[in-house]
Structures are given as structure tokens and as C-alpha cells.
Amino acid sequence: MTAPLTAPAPPLPHPTTTPPALAPASASHTLARCRSLVLPALTAAVERLHPYPGEMAAFSFGWCEVGGTPAAGRPGGGKSGGKGVRQALAVLGAEAAGAPGATAVAGAVAVELVHAFSLLHDDIMDGDETRRRRASVWKAYGTGPAVLAGDALFALAVQTLAESQSPHGGAAIRQLSGALGDLVRGQAEDLLFESRPWTGPDAVRTAEYRAMAEGKTGALLGCAAALGAQLAGAPEPVVTALDRAGRHVGVAFQAVDDLLGIWGDPRVTGKPVHGDLRRRKKTLPVLAALAADGPAARELAALLSASPDADAPDTIPDDAAVHRAAELVEEACGRAATLAEAHHHLDAARAQLASVPLAPTAAAELLALLPFLVDRAL
């Protein structure tokens, strides 16, 4: 586990452009290649679970419907495994260290299982009834069963890594456990943010939010890249640089996710436009806007602090008020500041990758993958 990112960090330069001979494959091709390498092992791991939590785990991956029927219209009977971002980072981490991608498969499976576990519990904590345009696991099966499925995925992740044949398995487990601790701390801070005021000395600051995002989102992305290198026996500076690069990508990813939570196309996100604002969620665009200290920021603070509706205390039920809040966030430069934050952390990730010797082709694929992870439709 590496030290937390310092925040705010100074601007960092882009590394040297990849030579034409090393032009990377497209990001989508890289994701598909890494997914095809990891998916059989991920499927086999889930099939080891007790049938009840195993079905819920398969449902969470989009492989089946409630009752276990294979999901219709999905490749391989639904076994697509999602985009496989963490899987790709693990595989590329091993390849960047000069080892075959297969070296990272156990680590990729472990991280993917931990990610699925965190989403199951996150949906319960947030009360989210849908994920990826389907019912969330707790909504489909019940809260207790969903907690059980999450626990089963967590245990399976640790078991998968412990049973790997790598001589570096012990170090890999320590890497994963450190990331899990950071993930829990980030999630705890995110929950505590909900009860803090919008303004005043106890208000959530953007630096606090950045630290939360590094833990909640960045720790597992950093762990994925670092695990691949760790299982390949890479030197500690390489493992550390990949971990830190992934953490920076996580902050950038969370920043863009926050933008999508307000202005994202519902056909793409599966969530209503302005959804996070309606829920009074403390996201980076809102916090950055409130920190601007101008007329728009003051009006936004007053709107968000207004007495909630008795019938919906956690939301802003008035459509006009929600629309106005979105306008105010943009007027106070919250949207622009968040986009700048995302690109800053992408630059920082690139600089980390340029700071250590990596296998050129894998490094080029990592560099090509970075913008794909955050440049989603707004």
C-alpha cells in the first residue's frame, strides 16, 4: 500500500509521446482482450459459491436474471463481465512489468470480485434501486440476501488471491488488504459528508472530497494495476507508480461520474438528469461551485440549505428548483472546475507511468486507456 496522494498537487507534464511504432491498440480492443483472458477464471470463481449467493453474484455481473435464467441478448449467455476496467489494469500492470498477462489473472479476478462486493453494499447504503438499468441486487432479492452475496464475493476474492500460484501472493494479499482499508475509509467519509452542512466551518471542502474519492474509487483502481505488477515480481518503484497512477485515475473517474450524475444523458447513465442534485448529494461540481464565493454560489447554498419537504426530506422535489440548482452550479464554474480536476489527475497518472521503466507496448496501451476511462458522454 502506498501513501495517500497529496492534494492539491501542482500541474504535471505529459510524458513523451509514444513513437509511431508503438502505437497502442484502441481502448475498446484492449478491454476486450483483457476481458477474454480473465472472464473464464472469473466465471469459474463465481461458480464455486453456494448456489444462492452465487446466483445473486451472477445477477450483479449481468450474467443471469432473477431465478438464474441466463440473461437474454448478452454475449455468452450474459457473461460479458462489464467493461472490465479493473481487469484490464491488472493485466496491463503485469505486461508493463514484462510478464505475460496471464500472470495477473488471479489478481484481476480478486479485484473484480471486490468491486462487485463494494457495489452491492454501496447500493444498500445509498438506497439505489437500480444499477446499469436493472434492479440492484438488494431490490431484486432483498437487503439481507444482498449483504450475504457481498460478503461471499469478498471472501471469494481473498481466497482467489491466496490460492494463486505466484511466489508473490503474500505481497499481493497485503496490497489488496491495504486497498480495502482505504476503500472503507473513503466510503465512511462519503456517508459522513451527508450529515455535514453546505456552508460554514463544518462544510465539506474540495480537498476532503478529493481524499474521499481517492479511497472510495481510486484505491481499487490503483490496486488493480499494482497487483498485476506485484504478481509479476516487479520492483517496488514500479508497483508504487502503477498504484499511484490508478489512484489518480480513480479521482478523475469520480469527478466525471459526478458530472454525469447531474448532466449525464439518462439513455447512457440509466439515471435521471439532475439526479444527484435532487438527492442533495455532495458531489465535486456542487462543492466547487459553493467554494467560488459569488452571487451564484450564495444562491445555490440557500437553495440547498432550504428546509426539505416533509414528505421527501432527502430530496429537492420541486423540478424548477432542481433545474435552477444545476444552472447555478454551472454559473459558479462548478462544472468547469470538475472537468479541470479530472484532466489534472489524468496528467498526474501519465506522469506516474512516465516515472518508471515499463514495457513499451503495455505502457502505450495504458496511456491509451486512461482518457477512455473518464471521457464519457456528457
Side-chain angles (χ1 to χ4, degrees):
M1 179 180 140
T2 60
L5 303 177
T6 55
L12 294 166
H14 288 274
T16 305
T17 303
T18 305
L22 299 175
S26 69
S28 59
H29 175 77
T30 297
L31 289 170
R33 176 178 70 81
C34 296
R35 236 183 1 250
S36 66
L37 182 63
V38 175
L39 185 56
L42 177 61
T43 304
V46 172
E47 288 174 349
R48 297 170 62 186
L49 293 172
H50 181 283
Y52 188 35
E55 179 190 317
M56 288 183 279
F59 178 86
S60 75
F61 283 115
W63 300 347
C64 74
E65 307 295 350
V66 175
T69 304
R74 296 174 186 269
K79 292 185 178 177
S80 63
K83 290 186 178 67
V85 169
R86 290 156 192 82
Q87 301 171 37
L89 288 174
V91 170
L92 291 174
E95 292 176 347
T103 306
V105 166
V109 170
V111 169
E112 194 69 18
L113 293 170
V114 166
H115 178 56
F117 137 75
S118 71
L119 294 182
L120 262 66
H121 286 193
D122 195 46
D123 285 343
I124 294 168
M125 286 184 282
D126 291 345
D128 287 338
E129 298 185 356
T130 61
R131 178 167 290 279
R132 298 176 184 137
R133 293 176 289 280
R134 329 169 67 204
S136 54
V137 174
W138 76 265
K139 187 66 177 176
Y141 290 88
T143 301
V147 171
L148 176 66
D151 292 345
L153 286 165
F154 173 77
L156 182 61
V158 177
Q159 182 181 6
T160 298
L161 204 50
E163 293 177 352
S164 74
Q165 300 302 308
S166 171
H168 309 286
I173 291 175
R174 288 191 292 274
Q175 186 83 32
L176 181 65
S177 64
L180 281 167
D182 289 343
L183 186 154
V184 170
R185 279 189 287 273
Q187 182 66 62
E189 290 299 323
D190 194 32
L191 288 173
L192 289 171
F193 286 172
E194 295 177 8
S195 60
R196 290 173 60 178
W198 290 102
T199 58
D202 294 326
V204 179
R205 309 302 176 191
T206 54
E208 292 178 278
Y209 187 89
R210 189 183 296 115
M212 179 279 296
E214 185 206 334
K216 181 179 176 182
T217 306
L220 208 52
L221 288 170
C223 179
L227 271 184
Q230 193 107 59
L231 290 168
E236 188 58 33
V238 171
V239 175
T240 298
L242 288 168
D243 178 88
R244 291 181 65 82
R247 286 170 180 257
H248 279 297
V249 171
V251 178
F253 187 95
Q254 186 62 57
V256 174
D257 202 55
D258 287 351
L259 292 173
L260 292 169
I262 299 177
W263 294 286
D265 184 344
R267 294 169 298 180
V268 177
T269 66
K271 299 179 181 180
V273 68
H274 302 159
D276 281 354
L277 273 177
R278 186 178 295 278
R279 293 168 53 200
R280 299 177 190 262
K281 190 170 177 62
K282 292 183 175 70
T283 61
L284 188 57
V286 176
L287 297 176
L290 291 173
D293 190 28
R298 289 191 288 273
E299 184 181 344
L300 177 63
L303 193 158
L304 292 170
S305 302
S307 298
D309 188 289
D311 295 327
D314 297 327
T315 66
I316 303 175
D318 187 301
D319 289 343
V322 173
H323 182 75
R324 179 56 181 159
E327 289 180 338
L328 291 168
V329 171
E330 191 145 18
E331 286 178 27
C333 297
R335 183 171 183 166
T338 300
L339 197 57
E341 180 85 5
H343 284 291
H344 165 71
H345 283 281
L346 279 185
D347 284 348
R350 293 184 182 104
Q352 286 294 329
L353 296 177
S355 70
V356 290
L358 301 175
T361 300
E365 287 192 83
L366 279 167
L367 288 169
L369 193 59
L370 297 186
F372 178 84
L373 299 182
V374 297
D375 288 350
R376 291 169 283 168
L378 290 176

